[in-house]
Amino acid sequence: MNIEQDLFKRSTLIPDKLLSFGFVKEGNIYKYSTKIMNDKFRVDIEVNEDVIHGKIYDLSTNDEYTNFRIEDFGAFSNTVREKYIEVLKNIRNNCFVSKYFIGSQSNRIANMIVKNFNCEPEFLWEKNPGYGVFRNTPSDKWFAIIMNIDKSKIDSKSKGEVEVINVKSDDNTEIYLKKKGIYPAYHMNKKSWITIILDDTLSDEEILNIISASYDLFPAPNTWVIPANPKYYDLISDFAKSDTMLWHQNINVSKNDTVYIYVAEPYSALLYKCIVIEASIPEGDKMLMKLKLKKEYSQSAYPFTKLKEYGLTAIRGPITIPNKLAKILAEEK
């Protein structure tokens, strides 16, 4: 990759900006010249669509100077190279806008994630500026990361820079790995992550579906499930008398959070949906919350066997509820 490709690979041209910057348009090509090194060298830049190319001329001889393209050719050549890069960066900062990633599919997928899950990519590593992490907002945990790597990292028979997305996998890992374009996870736990190449091998829709399944593995915001044991407390009779009740608060709930109540044996099912109408009510050395009943479910609607399918493998205390289940419950009127 040459100097120009490296500097502009994550940038998109705004043609109108070139003219105001000082470029002159000749046909489909924009041209710009400036002097560097105390006016001893001239930089000529040409931009044709998104392709940018430059040359440097030694004004004392009018010959093209090319040594600057060889890294560490010498101290003087390195200085010329640095001045040339300064010119390119000035053009980039004034005439281009940044894009998240290099490839078109990578940017389409990133924009879909931003739109669907309301989270921007975070670029955390100076040594790997093209690595963008996406977090599940409530849990602050990663559910995807886009990276530019050498293809040999995922396919020993291939080489060259590619962009991939690592996605936290659900129970369908073995099925995913049978698809062309999906690989065992690069640099992540191969049991719980997969790597998808972003070169249009898979459609945007297919990739987004996998990402959505990944996101659904994480807790839904402001949504909880709490257990109740009818051997010790007859909440069924209490809810028959009133649609509000006080409940011991040992979770970090807030007003308007959603709380589902799972009733243990002999029911072993999720039976109630409530809204927190008041939180952090002091009572001695305890805190209470006031719940308002919003919906009752039949014993057969969400038994424990069905909840396990959505990731609730044990309900021994208050826990967050997976996105996948929260979406299904929220859809019910």
Side-chain angles (χ1 to χ4, degrees), residues 311-324:
L312 284 178
T313 57
I315 311 172
R316 299 186 182 92
I319 54 173
T320 52
I321 198 167
N323 256 303
K324 187 175 182 180

Side-chain angles (χ1 to χ4, degrees), residues 190-248:
K190 290 176 172 51
K191 292 183 179 180
S192 52
W193 290 78
I194 56 173
T195 292
I196 306 170
I197 193 167
L198 298 176
D199 64 352
D200 289 299
T201 298
L202 288 171
S203 70
D204 293 356
E205 183 180 5
E206 287 177 288
I207 295 173
L208 186 62
N209 286 339
I210 295 173
I211 295 170
S212 296
S214 173
Y215 191 86
D216 284 344
L217 296 173
F218 291 90
N222 311 116
T223 310
W224 312 84
V225 59
I226 57 177
N229 191 333
K231 294 180 181 179
Y232 302 107
Y233 174 45
D234 187 6
L235 81 165
I236 294 175
S237 296
D238 279 2
F239 267 139
K241 299 173 185 175
S242 173
D243 64 354
T244 62
M245 70 167 56
L246 291 172
W247 198 277
H248 177 54

Side-chain angles (χ1 to χ4, degrees), residues 290-312:
K290 181 178 283 189
L291 303 178
K292 183 175 179 62
L293 180 63
K294 302 298 291 184
K295 184 175 178 63
E296 293 186 41
Y297 301 101
S298 68
Q299 186 178 349
S300 61
Y302 294 102
F304 182 67
T305 51
K306 187 172 184 178
L307 297 178
K308 285 178 67 175
E309 297 175 9
Y310 296 103
L312 284 178

Side-chain angles (χ1 to χ4, degrees), residues 3-64:
I3 298 171
E4 294 84 2
Q5 289 173 327
D6 188 52
L7 280 174
F8 288 88
K9 65 184 178 182
R10 292 185 179 84
S11 302
T12 300
L13 173 65
I14 306 176
D16 292 345
K17 296 283 189 179
L18 293 173
L19 296 176
S20 59
F21 183 84
F23 279 81
V24 175
K25 189 176 183 181
E26 297 181 7
N28 293 324
I29 299 174
Y30 294 86
K31 296 183 177 182
Y32 172 78
S33 293
T34 189
K35 294 176 182 178
I36 60 173
M37 303 291 290
N38 295 320
D39 295 345
K40 293 178 181 178
F41 290 83
R42 186 184 77 241
V43 175
D44 289 350
I45 302 292
E46 290 189 358
V47 179
N48 186 359
E49 295 182 348
D50 272 342
V51 179
I52 185 166
H53 181 68
K55 293 182 178 182
I56 297 178
Y57 291 90
D58 184 337
L59 294 179
S60 66
T61 63
N62 285 324
D63 292 331
E64 184 180 353

Side-chain angles (χ1 to χ4, degrees), residues 264-281:
E265 291 182 348
Y267 300 94
S268 299
L270 191 150
L271 296 185
Y272 301 103
K273 175 182 179 179
C274 303
I275 299 296
V276 179
I277 58 175
E278 191 174 350
S280 302
I281 305 168

